[in-house]
Amino acid sequence: MEDHKIVQRNLALQREWYGEPLGDRVRRLVVAFNVSQAQLADVLGISAPMLSQVMSGRRAKIGNPSVLARMIMLERKVLTPDVASGAPEALQRALEDVRQSKPTVSRDSLPVNGAADDEAVVFPFLRRLADRRELSQAADVLGEDFPALAELLRRAGKGRDT
């Protein structure tokens, strides 16, 4: 199989496995944390060449679950107010926290039945962050550009008693 076809196949697999090409996710982290790919690779616990291969689609997956867990940790930290502010010390602290982490992936940390289990985790989390009105307003703001996220927020808000 020629290189172009391999890359296209790998990118399609990444979309299936990770929701989008890993290159897109990694580039967002590079921008959000104002670091190089090599620096990000160090934080994730992967070699820079391996990260480059995954980003370009020359490799389909991240084989080490801890590396993927660290990437998800960074994606979540981007949403915290101190990191979102872009304050250099907050960015460095978040990067160091993730670099020093020893994440594990176990059968207890992964959903079993897909969407229903995801909702059991995501909805209570969203409901702790915001009341029904705020979830609805956020859905209205996101609705046109991000309809799937908006629907998730609406569904989370409907189950809230407040």
Side-chain angles (χ1 to χ4, degrees):
M1 191 182 296
E2 58 187 77
D3 286 345
H4 176 72
K5 289 182 180 179
I6 291 170
V7 167
Q8 292 307 310
R9 182 202 65 177
N10 289 346
L11 292 174
L13 287 170
Q14 288 179 2
R15 281 184 198 91
E16 180 182 335
W17 295 336
Y18 304 110
E20 66 183 313
L22 289 172
D24 294 346
R25 291 175 71 171
V26 170
R27 277 186 282 283
R28 281 195 301 271
L29 291 173
V30 164
V31 170
F33 286 97
N34 193 29
V35 294
S36 68
Q37 286 179 23
Q39 290 169 314
L40 183 63
D42 178 60
V43 170
L44 295 175
I46 189 173
S47 72
M50 179 69 76
L51 183 61
S52 176
Q53 290 175 0
V54 169
M55 288 180 67
S56 68
R58 290 191 310 272
R59 283 187 169 269
K61 67 179 179 174
I62 295 175
N64 184 334
S66 294
V67 171
L68 181 59
R70 284 188 197 96
M71 186 171 79
I72 293 167
M73 289 170 67
L74 284 175
E75 289 173 329
R76 290 179 177 169
K77 284 187 179 284
V78 168
L79 303 174
T80 63
D82 58 337
V83 172
S85 75
E89 58 279 354
L91 297 176
Q92 286 307 312
R93 189 171 46 252
L95 290 168
E96 193 55 33
D97 287 349
V98 171
R99 179 185 286 110
Q100 297 299 323
S101 70
K102 304 282 188 233
T104 59
V105 178
S106 70
R107 62 185 173 87
D108 295 330
S109 67
L110 296 173
V112 176
N113 295 323
D117 286 334
D118 292 345
E119 290 174 9
V121 173
V122 173
F123 286 5
F125 177 76
L126 289 171
R127 291 170 184 153
R128 282 192 305 271
L129 291 176
D131 63 28
R132 180 184 299 228
R133 181 186 53 79
E134 291 170 321
L135 291 170
S136 177
Q137 287 176 338
D140 291 343
V141 168
L142 293 173
E144 190 172 316
D145 294 326
F146 303 98
L149 283 173
E151 179 58 24
L152 179 77
L153 292 173
R154 284 188 188 94
R155 289 185 10 236
K158 286 181 182 172
R160 180 136 186 158
D161 295 327
T162 58

